Amino acid sequence: MNGTSAQPSDHPRLTPLPRLAATDACRWVTRSVGHAPYVTSLPYISHYGCRYVVHGDDITSDSDGNDCYRFVKEAGRFKVVKRSPGISTTDLVGRMLLCTRTHFIRSLENVLSGKEGNGTEEERRALGQQMMERIRLYATDETAKAPGVDVWFWSASLEARAQDTEEEKGSFRQLLKGTGPKPGQRVVYVDGGFDLFCSGHIEFLRRVLEAENELARGDGWFSEQAVDERKGKGNDYGPAFVVVGVHDDEVINQWKGVNYPIMNQFERGLCVLQCKYINSVIFSAPFTPTKTYLTSLPYGLPDAVYHGSTSFMPLTYDPYVAPKNLGIYREIGEHPFSHVNAGQIVQRIMKSRELYEARQRAKGVKAEVEAAARQRELLEEEQRKKEAERAV
């Protein structure tokens, strides 16, 4: 689809459709259009000024078995790209229903270097290189050709990553260099698990950027003179540099139990990297952003630390005491997608388990399904006991 990227001051509309929210937030999407027809016609794409239709290399047919893109193909306005490797919706649903943990990653750094994983050393290194290339691609700017997002690792003990008992500086290592903060930008920090990266996460990040834009508007950031000055030195840019800390699998599972996270750190990281509302990602960020951690960030003490709803996490203490004491804590209130999180999505899928089990029985794997259901029940009971013990 042809078009120009949105300016930093532009905000995509809030849509009630979570899938539209997801495509709106993608760095390489100019515009999302809802209610698109399943069979693509020439008048439809011409109406939106699209020169070509691009699709993966899988075949899509309508209810009559005809190619959904036959009209644009006949007109020479169809392009095919190789489908991106990775997990599918079916894979994720399977993890939820079968309650598996084999997708967990202990150390993303070790996986990327070939030190962790299955197979021979040569196979692990090859996989690590493939994963590294995907991180690099997902971290590109809106042109998909130049570096965009900074990518870091934070290394520290499990106690420092998962609890509030250790004031540990840890160490940062830059994996990829992006654009970095630009003159005048406020550096803001957010963190989370971002499991099953969904409209709840996306809308939170969008509102963080919106809040910063409102602050900047009051300071004259969007005045004609200020815009001209920035353009005179290059391209215009927004007032905030958003740094996102992503918790690792071990930390999330320690807090949430069962087989959370449903997506491992690599998969969750890719989801965050492609989001147009962020500028930097820190893998293995601590659950509690302590003063020691915040002051040792690569960009220095952030101007603000934002947080939203934590209904998904069974907290027993306030992880944000340090930013509150430092006077840099800001909160994003309720919004239409506040209730959407990994737990809510899993519960929705579990309600459809009977349909899944029926299909599996037809395939002769009834015992596997029943064992998985029992395993989830046991893990959920174990997690409830842990949460009760923490609350004492």
Coordinates of all heavy atoms in Angstrom, one line a residue, residues 178-244:
G178 N 20.2 2.0 17.7 CA 19.2 2.7 16.9 C 19.5 4.1 16.7 O 20.7 4.6 16.7
T179 N 18.5 5.0 16.8 CA 18.7 6.4 16.6 C 19.1 7.1 17.9 O 19.7 8.1 17.9 CB 17.4 7.0 16.1 OG1 16.3 6.8 17.0 CG2 17.0 6.5 14.7
G180 N 18.7 6.5 19.0 CA 19.0 7.1 20.3 C 18.1 8.4 20.5 O 17.4 8.9 19.6
P181 N 18.1 8.9 21.8 CA 17.3 10.1 22.0 C 17.8 11.3 21.2 O 19.0 11.5 21.0 CB 17.5 10.4 23.5 CG 18.0 9.0 24.1 CD 18.8 8.4 23.0
K182 N 16.9 12.2 20.8 CA 17.3 13.3 20.0 C 17.2 14.6 20.9 O 16.5 14.6 21.9 CB 16.4 13.4 18.8 CG 16.6 12.3 17.8 CD 15.6 12.3 16.6 CE 15.8 11.1 15.7 NZ 14.9 11.1 14.6
P183 N 17.8 15.7 20.4 CA 17.8 16.9 21.3 C 16.4 17.3 21.7 O 15.4 17.4 20.9 CB 18.4 17.9 20.3 CG 19.3 17.1 19.4 CD 18.5 15.9 19.2
G184 N 16.2 17.5 23.0 CA 15.0 18.0 23.5 C 14.0 16.9 23.9 O 13.0 17.2 24.6
Q185 N 14.2 15.7 23.5 CA 13.3 14.6 23.9 C 13.4 14.2 25.3 O 14.5 14.2 25.9 CB 13.6 13.4 23.0 CG 13.1 13.4 21.6 CD 13.2 12.1 20.9 OE1 14.2 11.4 21.0 NE2 12.2 11.8 20.1
R186 N 12.2 14.0 25.9 CA 12.2 13.4 27.3 C 12.3 11.9 27.2 O 11.6 11.3 26.3 CB 10.8 13.8 27.9 CG 10.8 15.2 28.6 CD 9.4 15.6 28.9 NE 8.6 14.6 29.7 CZ 8.5 14.5 31.0 NH1 9.2 15.4 31.7 NH2 7.8 13.6 31.6
V187 N 13.1 11.3 28.0 CA 13.2 9.9 28.1 C 12.2 9.3 29.1 O 12.3 9.7 30.2 CB 14.7 9.4 28.4 CG1 14.7 7.9 28.6 CG2 15.7 9.9 27.4
V188 N 11.3 8.5 28.6 CA 10.3 7.9 29.5 C 10.5 6.4 29.5 O 10.9 5.8 28.5 CB 8.9 8.3 29.2 CG1 8.8 9.8 29.2 CG2 8.5 7.8 27.8
Y189 N 10.2 5.8 30.7 CA 10.4 4.3 30.9 C 9.1 3.6 31.2 O 8.3 4.1 32.0 CB 11.5 4.1 32.0 CG 11.8 2.6 32.2 CD1 12.6 1.9 31.4 CD2 11.1 1.9 33.3 CE1 12.9 0.6 31.6 CE2 11.4 0.6 33.5 CZ 12.3 -0.1 32.7 OH 12.6 -1.4 32.9
V190 N 8.9 2.5 30.6 CA 7.8 1.6 30.9 C 8.3 0.2 31.0 O 9.3 -0.1 30.4 CB 6.6 1.7 29.9 CG1 6.1 3.2 29.8 CG2 7.0 1.2 28.5
D191 N 7.6 -0.7 31.7 CA 8.0 -2.1 31.7 C 6.8 -3.0 31.8 O 5.7 -2.6 32.0 CB 9.0 -2.3 32.8 CG 8.4 -2.1 34.2 OD1 7.2 -1.8 34.3 OD2 9.1 -2.1 35.2
G192 N 7.1 -4.3 31.5 CA 6.0 -5.2 31.5 C 6.4 -6.6 30.9 O 7.5 -6.7 30.4
G193 N 5.4 -7.5 30.9 CA 5.7 -8.8 30.3 C 5.3 -8.8 28.8 O 5.9 -9.4 28.0
F194 N 4.2 -8.0 28.5 CA 3.7 -7.9 27.1 C 3.4 -9.3 26.5 O 3.7 -9.5 25.3 CB 4.7 -7.1 26.3 CG 4.9 -5.7 26.8 CD1 6.1 -5.4 27.6 CD2 4.0 -4.7 26.7 CE1 6.3 -4.2 28.1 CE2 4.2 -3.4 27.2 CZ 5.4 -3.2 27.9
D195 N 2.9 -10.2 27.3 CA 2.6 -11.5 26.8 C 1.3 -11.4 25.9 O 0.4 -10.7 26.2 CB 2.3 -12.4 28.0 CG 2.3 -13.9 27.6 OD1 2.8 -14.2 26.5 OD2 1.9 -14.7 28.5
L196 N 1.4 -12.2 24.8 CA 0.3 -12.2 23.8 C 0.0 -10.7 23.4 O -1.2 -10.3 23.4 CB -1.0 -12.9 24.4 CG -0.8 -14.3 24.7 CD1 -2.1 -14.9 25.4 CD2 -0.5 -15.2 23.5
F197 N 1.0 -10.0 23.1 CA 1.0 -8.6 22.8 C -0.4 -8.2 22.2 O -0.7 -8.6 21.1 CB 2.1 -8.2 21.9 CG 2.4 -6.7 21.8 CD1 2.9 -6.0 22.9 CD2 2.1 -6.1 20.6 CE1 3.1 -4.6 22.8 CE2 2.4 -4.7 20.5 CZ 2.9 -4.0 21.6
C198 N -1.2 -7.4 22.9 CA -2.6 -7.2 22.5 C -3.0 -5.8 22.6 O -2.2 -4.9 23.0 CB -3.5 -8.1 23.4 SG -3.3 -7.8 25.1
S199 N -4.2 -5.5 22.4 CA -4.7 -4.1 22.4 C -4.6 -3.4 23.7 O -4.4 -2.2 23.8 CB -6.2 -4.1 22.0 OG -7.0 -5.0 22.8
G200 N -4.6 -4.2 24.8 CA -4.4 -3.6 26.1 C -3.0 -3.0 26.2 O -2.8 -1.9 26.7
H201 N -2.0 -3.7 25.8 CA -0.6 -3.2 25.8 C -0.4 -2.1 24.8 O 0.2 -1.0 25.1 CB 0.4 -4.3 25.4 CG 0.3 -5.6 26.2 ND1 0.1 -6.8 25.7 CD2 0.4 -5.7 27.6 CE1 0.1 -7.7 26.7 NE2 0.3 -7.1 27.8
I202 N -1.0 -2.2 23.6 CA -0.8 -1.2 22.6 C -1.5 0.1 23.0 O -0.8 1.2 22.8 CB -1.5 -1.8 21.3 CG1 -0.7 -2.9 20.7 CG2 -1.6 -0.6 20.2 CD1 -1.4 -3.7 19.6
E203 N -2.7 0.0 23.5 CA -3.3 1.3 23.9 C -2.6 2.0 25.0 O -2.5 3.2 25.1 CB -4.8 1.0 24.2 CG -5.6 2.3 24.6 CD -5.7 3.3 23.5 OE1 -5.3 3.0 22.3 OE2 -6.1 4.4 23.8
F204 N -2.1 1.2 26.0 CA -1.3 1.8 27.0 C -0.1 2.5 26.5 O 0.2 3.7 26.8 CB -0.8 0.7 28.0 CG 0.4 1.1 28.9 CD1 0.1 2.0 29.9 CD2 1.6 0.6 28.7 CE1 1.2 2.4 30.8 CE2 2.7 1.0 29.5 CZ 2.4 1.9 30.5
L205 N 0.7 1.9 25.6 CA 1.8 2.6 25.0 C 1.4 3.8 24.2 O 2.1 4.8 24.2 CB 2.6 1.6 24.1 CG 3.3 0.4 24.8 CD1 3.8 -0.6 23.8 CD2 4.4 0.9 25.7
R206 N 0.3 3.7 23.5 CA -0.2 4.9 22.7 C -0.5 6.0 23.6 O -0.2 7.2 23.3 CB -1.4 4.5 21.9 CG -1.8 5.6 20.9 CD -3.2 5.2 20.2 NE -4.2 5.5 21.2 CZ -4.8 6.7 21.4 NH1 -4.3 7.8 20.8 NH2 -5.8 6.8 22.3
R207 N -1.1 5.7 24.8 CA -1.5 6.8 25.7 C -0.3 7.4 26.4 O -0.3 8.5 26.8 CB -2.5 6.2 26.7 CG -3.9 5.9 26.0 CD -5.0 5.7 26.9 NE -6.2 5.6 26.2 CZ -7.4 6.1 26.6 NH1 -7.5 6.8 27.7 NH2 -8.5 5.9 25.9
V208 N 0.8 6.6 26.6 CA 2.0 7.1 27.1 C 2.5 8.2 26.2 O 2.9 9.3 26.6 CB 3.1 6.0 27.3 CG1 4.4 6.6 27.6 CG2 2.7 5.1 28.5
L209 N 2.6 7.9 24.9 CA 3.0 8.9 23.9 C 2.1 10.1 23.9 O 2.5 11.2 23.8 CB 3.1 8.2 22.6 CG 4.1 8.8 21.5 CD1 5.5 8.8 22.1 CD2 4.0 8.0 20.3
E210 N 0.8 9.8 24.0 CA -0.2 10.9 23.9 C 0.0 11.8 25.1 O -0.1 13.0 25.0 CB -1.6 10.3 23.9 CG -2.7 11.3 23.7 CD -4.0 10.6 23.6 OE1 -4.5 10.0 24.6 OE2 -4.7 10.7 22.5
A211 N 0.2 11.2 26.3 CA 0.5 12.0 27.5 C 1.7 12.9 27.4 O 1.7 14.1 27.8 CB 0.6 11.1 28.7
E212 N 2.7 12.4 26.8 CA 4.0 13.1 26.6 C 3.7 14.3 25.5 O 4.3 15.4 25.7 CB 5.1 12.2 26.1 CG 5.7 11.4 27.3 CD 6.3 12.2 28.4 OE1 7.2 13.1 28.0 OE2 6.0 12.0 29.5
N213 N 3.0 14.0 24.5 CA 2.6 15.0 23.5 C 1.9 16.1 24.1 O 2.1 17.3 23.8 CB 1.8 14.4 22.4 CG 2.7 13.6 21.4 OD1 3.9 13.6 21.5 ND2 2.1 12.8 20.5
E214 N 1.0 15.8 25.1 CA 0.2 16.9 25.7 C 1.1 17.8 26.6 O 0.9 19.0 26.6 CB -0.9 16.3 26.6 CG -2.1 15.7 25.8 CD -2.7 16.8 24.9 OE1 -3.0 17.9 25.4 OE2 -2.9 16.6 23.7
L215 N 2.0 17.1 27.3 CA 3.0 17.9 28.1 C 3.8 18.8 27.2 O 4.0 20.0 27.5 CB 3.9 17.0 28.8 CG 3.4 16.3 30.1 CD1 4.4 15.3 30.6 CD2 3.0 17.3 31.1
A216 N 4.3 18.3 26.0 CA 5.1 19.0 25.1 C 4.3 20.1 24.4 O 4.9 21.2 24.1 CB 5.7 18.1 24.1
R217 N 3.1 19.9 24.2 CA 2.3 20.9 23.5 C 2.2 22.2 24.4 O 2.2 23.3 23.9 CB 0.9 20.4 23.3 CG 0.0 21.3 22.4 CD -1.3 20.6 21.9 NE -1.0 19.7 20.8 CZ -1.0 18.3 20.9 NH1 -1.3 17.8 22.1 NH2 -0.7 17.6 19.9
G218 N 2.1 21.9 25.7 CA 2.1 23.1 26.6 C 3.4 23.8 26.7 O 3.4 25.0 27.0
D219 N 4.5 23.2 26.3 CA 5.8 23.8 26.3 C 6.2 24.3 24.9 O 7.3 24.8 24.7 CB 6.9 22.8 26.7 CG 6.7 22.4 28.2 OD1 6.1 23.2 29.0 OD2 7.1 21.3 28.6
G220 N 5.2 24.3 24.0 CA 5.5 24.9 22.7 C 6.2 24.0 21.7 O 6.7 24.4 20.6
W221 N 6.2 22.7 22.0 CA 7.0 21.7 21.1 C 6.4 21.7 19.7 O 7.2 21.6 18.7 CB 6.9 20.3 21.7 CG 7.7 19.3 20.9 CD1 7.2 18.6 19.8 CD2 9.0 18.9 21.0 NE1 8.2 17.8 19.3 CE2 9.3 17.9 20.0 CE3 10.0 19.2 22.0 CZ2 10.5 17.3 19.9 CZ3 11.3 18.6 21.8 CH2 11.5 17.6 20.8
F222 N 5.1 21.9 19.5 CA 4.5 21.8 18.2 C 4.2 23.1 17.6 O 3.5 23.2 16.6 CB 3.2 21.0 18.3 CG 3.4 19.6 18.8 CD1 3.0 19.2 20.0 CD2 3.9 18.6 17.9 CE1 3.2 17.8 20.5 CE2 4.1 17.3 18.3 CZ 3.7 16.9 19.6
S223 N 4.8 24.2 18.1 CA 4.7 25.5 17.5 C 5.4 25.5 16.2 O 6.3 24.7 15.9 CB 5.3 26.6 18.4 OG 6.7 26.5 18.5
E224 N 5.0 26.4 15.3 CA 5.5 26.5 14.0 C 7.0 26.7 14.0 O 7.8 26.1 13.3 CB 4.8 27.6 13.2 CG 5.3 27.6 11.7 CD 4.5 28.7 10.9 OE1 3.5 29.2 11.4 OE2 4.9 29.0 9.8
Q225 N 7.4 27.6 14.9 CA 8.9 27.9 15.0 C 9.7 26.7 15.5 O 10.7 26.4 14.9 CB 9.1 29.0 16.0 CG 10.5 29.4 16.2 CD 10.7 30.5 17.3 OE1 9.7 31.2 17.7 NE2 11.9 30.8 17.7
A226 N 9.2 26.0 16.5 CA 9.9 24.8 17.0 C 10.0 23.7 15.9 O 11.0 23.1 15.8 CB 9.2 24.3 18.2
V227 N 8.9 23.5 15.2 CA 8.9 22.5 14.1 C 9.9 22.9 13.0 O 10.6 22.0 12.6 CB 7.5 22.3 13.6 CG1 7.5 21.4 12.3 CG2 6.5 21.7 14.6
D228 N 9.9 24.1 12.7 CA 10.8 24.6 11.6 C 12.3 24.4 12.0 O 13.1 24.1 11.2 CB 10.5 26.1 11.3 CG 9.2 26.2 10.5 OD1 8.7 25.2 9.9 OD2 8.7 27.4 10.4
E229 N 12.5 24.7 13.3 CA 13.9 24.5 13.8 C 14.4 23.1 13.7 O 15.5 22.8 13.3 CB 14.0 25.0 15.3 CG 13.9 26.6 15.4 CD 14.0 27.0 16.9 OE1 14.1 26.1 17.7 OE2 13.9 28.2 17.1
R230 N 13.5 22.2 14.1 CA 13.9 20.8 14.0 C 14.0 20.3 12.6 O 14.9 19.6 12.2 CB 12.8 19.9 14.7 CG 12.8 20.0 16.2 CD 12.0 19.0 16.9 NE 10.6 19.0 16.6 CZ 9.7 19.8 17.2 NH1 10.0 20.6 18.2 NH2 8.4 19.8 16.9
K231 N 13.1 20.7 11.7 CA 13.2 20.4 10.3 C 14.4 21.0 9.7 O 15.0 20.4 8.7 CB 11.9 20.8 9.6 CG 10.7 20.0 9.9 CD 9.5 20.5 9.0 CE 8.3 19.6 9.2 NZ 7.1 20.1 8.4
G232 N 14.9 22.1 10.2 CA 16.1 22.8 9.6 C 17.3 22.0 9.9 O 18.3 22.1 9.2
K233 N 17.2 21.1 10.9 CA 18.4 20.3 11.2 C 18.2 18.8 10.8 O 19.0 17.9 11.1 CB 18.6 20.3 12.8 CG 18.9 21.7 13.3 CD 18.9 21.6 14.8 CE 19.1 23.0 15.4 NZ 19.1 23.0 16.9
G234 N 17.1 18.6 10.0 CA 16.8 17.2 9.6 C 15.3 17.0 9.6 O 14.5 17.9 9.3
N235 N 14.9 15.7 9.9 CA 13.5 15.4 10.0 C 12.9 15.8 11.3 O 13.6 15.8 12.3 CB 13.3 13.9 9.7 CG 13.7 13.5 8.3 OD1 13.5 14.3 7.4 ND2 14.2 12.3 8.2
D236 N 11.6 16.1 11.3 CA 10.9 16.4 12.6 C 10.8 15.1 13.4 O 10.8 14.0 12.8 CB 9.5 17.0 12.3 CG 8.9 17.6 13.5 OD1 9.6 17.8 14.5 OD2 7.7 17.9 13.5
Y237 N 10.6 15.2 14.7 CA 10.4 14.1 15.5 C 9.6 14.4 16.7 O 9.4 15.6 17.0 CB 11.8 13.5 16.0 CG 12.7 14.5 16.6 CD1 12.7 14.8 17.9 CD2 13.6 15.2 15.8 CE1 13.6 15.8 18.5 CE2 14.5 16.1 16.3 CZ 14.5 16.4 17.7 OH 15.3 17.3 18.2
G238 N 9.1 13.4 17.5 CA 8.2 13.6 18.6 C 9.0 14.0 19.9 O 10.2 13.9 19.9
P239 N 8.3 14.4 20.9 CA 8.9 14.9 22.1 C 9.4 13.9 23.1 O 10.0 14.2 24.1 CB 7.8 15.8 22.8 CG 6.6 15.1 22.3 CD 6.8 14.6 20.9
A240 N 9.0 12.6 22.8 CA 9.3 11.5 23.8 C 10.2 10.4 23.2 O 9.9 10.0 22.0 CB 8.1 11.0 24.4
F241 N 11.1 9.9 24.0 CA 11.9 8.7 23.6 C 11.4 7.6 24.6 O 11.8 7.7 25.8 CB 13.4 9.0 23.7 CG 14.3 7.9 23.3 CD1 14.6 7.8 21.9 CD2 14.7 6.9 24.2 CE1 15.5 6.7 21.5 CE2 15.6 5.9 23.8 CZ 15.9 5.8 22.4
V242 N 10.7 6.6 24.1 CA 10.0 5.6 25.0 C 10.9 4.4 25.1 O 11.2 3.7 24.1 CB 8.6 5.3 24.5 CG1 8.0 4.3 25.4 CG2 7.8 6.5 24.4
V243 N 11.3 4.1 26.3 CA 12.2 2.9 26.6 C 11.3 1.9 27.2 O 10.6 2.1 28.2 CB 13.3 3.3 27.6 CG1 14.2 2.0 27.8 CG2 14.1 4.4 27.0
V244 N 11.3 0.6 26.7 CA 10.4 -0.4 27.2 C 11.3 -1.6 27.8 O 12.1 -2.2 27.1 CB 9.5 -1.0 26.1 CG1 8.6 -2.1 26.6 CG2 8.7 0.1 25.4

